[in-house]
Amino acid sequence: MGSRLSLDDSVRVVVVGGGFGGTAAASLLKSWAVPFVLVDVRDAFHHNVAALRAAVESGFAKKTFISYSVTFGDSFRQGKVVGIDPGRQQVLFSDGEELHYSHLILATGSNGPFPGKFSQVIDMESAIQTYEDMVKEIEKSQHILVVGGGAAGVEMAAEIKTEYPDKEVILIHSKTALADVELLASVRQEVKEILLRKGVRLLLSEKVSDVENLRPNQFQKDMVVRTEKGTEVVVDMVVLCTGIKINSSAYAAAFGDKMASNGALKVNKHLQLEGYENIYAIGDCADLKEPKMAYHAGLHANIVVTNIINSLTQKPLKTYKPGMMV
């Protein structure tokens, strides 16, 4: 990739969401000299795969945020997308402004609790400081509870135990198997064995009964946390790694009938939104039967940008097979 295309002035690809998929798509469009605008509510890309390390190691957080405007210049627009008008081919912003697109890539991602995700709309420096504050809270705490044993919870428990082998780390998970349901059973078993070898205490098939009343990410000595089965643990800090949700607010009104039950968008084999040739969905907001991984979002971006270019140059579209490894 990287050649220049001769395109007419009507081409403008709008990418909504600057996570792994959105920034990968924008970078590819930039390399092909295809006119594009990347839109995100924040001012910086957050490398959230590394976020959990940033929660335990001081000085690491600044490596996980990258300014959009430095990377993409005038092709970046900071703003909150509140709707899509597919008839007029407009992206609608909260401030009333609109942005016309010839092609639209929806890459809105998913949201969840800090530190695994960073959902606050604040500037990059403040976001970095939030992680540095978390490092200090973990340093003060001797007994730490991680709630949720999906990918983020497993990694969070491992990061704390690796950085601080002498701290007690307890992981509570509502199911019997850890990590992502799309992963092989043997991989999920290996994850469990690694945590046990590190000395993480596992409470599986248990659910915290008063999760909404907990004050996460703050040192608070001798907190008593109970599960619905009556198990009690006494800890100094709670880290929540539960409740990942698809960010569908930008498109729910326009494409409610194209959404799966979890809010992800139904796409065809070319990653086009069902019923539209010029709208694509990638990353977590695409309804695909595969683990939600940054790696897959990058593959989606490659397919979608290639398909946009192929559609402009009258070439056949490429097909995406879920779970592809390249």
Side-chain angles (χ1 to χ4, degrees), residues 64-316:
T64 69
F65 288 90
I66 303 164
S67 164
Y68 290 124
S69 55
V70 168
T71 310
F72 297 113
D74 292 340
S75 294
F76 171 65
R77 159 79 151 87
Q78 188 173 359
K80 182 177 173 61
V81 175
V82 293
I84 311 291
D85 185 338
R88 293 167 48 239
Q89 295 183 203
Q90 299 282 354
V91 171
L92 316 174
F93 289 92
S94 58
D95 61 7
E97 288 200 15
E98 299 184 349
L99 184 62
H100 181 77
Y101 63 85
S102 62
H103 301 77
L104 179 64
I105 301 175
L106 294 167
T108 54
S110 57
N111 231 327
F114 178 84
K117 297 276 189 176
F118 194 86
S119 53
Q120 283 179 268
V121 183
I122 57 177
D123 65 87
M124 188 167 88
E125 292 306 317
S126 304
I128 290 167
Q129 188 55 48
T130 307
Y131 278 96
E132 293 297 330
D133 294 344
M134 173 95 175
V135 171
K136 293 186 180 76
E137 297 298 304
I138 287 179
E139 280 174 353
K140 286 188 277 188
S141 308
Q142 188 56 36
H143 308 279
I144 301 169
L145 173 64
V146 177
V147 180
V154 163
E155 192 187 335
M156 188 75 251
E159 290 284 15
I160 297 169
K161 202 66 180 164
T162 301
E163 190 73 11
Y164 303 102
D166 296 335
K167 292 187 189 294
E168 182 189 29
V169 178
I170 305 165
L171 176 66
I172 292 182
H173 187 47
S174 60
K175 301 179 179 66
T176 51
L178 295 164
D180 199 306
V181 292
E182 307 281 358
L183 293 172
L184 292 171
S186 58
V187 175
R188 300 178 82 185
Q189 181 60 27
E190 177 65 16
V191 164
K192 180 179 178 180
E193 288 166 14
I194 289 168
L195 289 180
L196 290 171
R197 279 200 299 274
K198 282 183 172 288
V200 175
R201 181 182 164 199
L202 299 178
L203 294 176
L204 303 177
S205 300
E206 295 260 25
K207 213 170 184 177
V208 173
S209 57
D210 55 349
V211 121
E212 58 283 339
N213 295 324
L214 297 173
R215 289 173 60 203
N217 309 328
Q218 291 178 330
F219 170 77
Q220 191 180 335
K221 196 157 179 57
D222 298 336
M223 276 187 284
V224 178
V225 179
R226 295 176 183 82
T227 71
E228 290 178 355
K229 290 182 180 176
T231 307
E232 285 191 0
V233 292
V234 181
V235 296
D236 306 324
M237 186 171 175
V238 177
V239 183
L240 297 181
C241 294
T242 56
I244 300 295
K245 292 185 175 63
I246 307 291
N247 286 332
S248 60
S249 60
Y251 56 73
F255 305 127
D257 59 333
K258 313 283 185 194
M259 283 163 51
S261 57
N262 66 349
L265 290 163
K266 296 174 183 175
V267 292
N268 65 16
K269 63 184 181 180
H270 307 302
L271 300 183
Q272 292 165 313
L273 178 63
E274 284 185 356
Y276 294 90
E277 289 187 356
N278 67 332
I279 301 177
Y280 296 80
I282 64 174
D284 288 3
C285 74
D287 185 34
L288 296 163
K289 300 291 175 274
E290 63 184 9
K292 302 295 186 190
M293 294 165 64
Y295 173 76
H296 287 142
L299 295 183
H300 303 167
N302 209 320
I303 292 277
V304 163
V305 172
T306 301
N307 283 343
I308 289 172
I309 290 164
N310 285 2
S311 71
L312 292 168
T313 53
Q314 286 73 53
K315 290 179 184 164

Side-chain angles (χ1 to χ4, degrees), residues 1-38:
M1 278 206 169
S3 311
R4 294 182 75 86
L5 298 169
S6 59
L7 302 168
D8 65 49
D9 293 342
S10 67
V11 175
R12 181 202 265 162
V13 182
V14 173
V15 184
V16 178
F20 286 100
T23 51
S27 297
L28 289 166
L29 291 163
K30 184 180 175 182
S31 73
W32 277 96
V34 176
F36 74 94
V37 179
L38 173 67

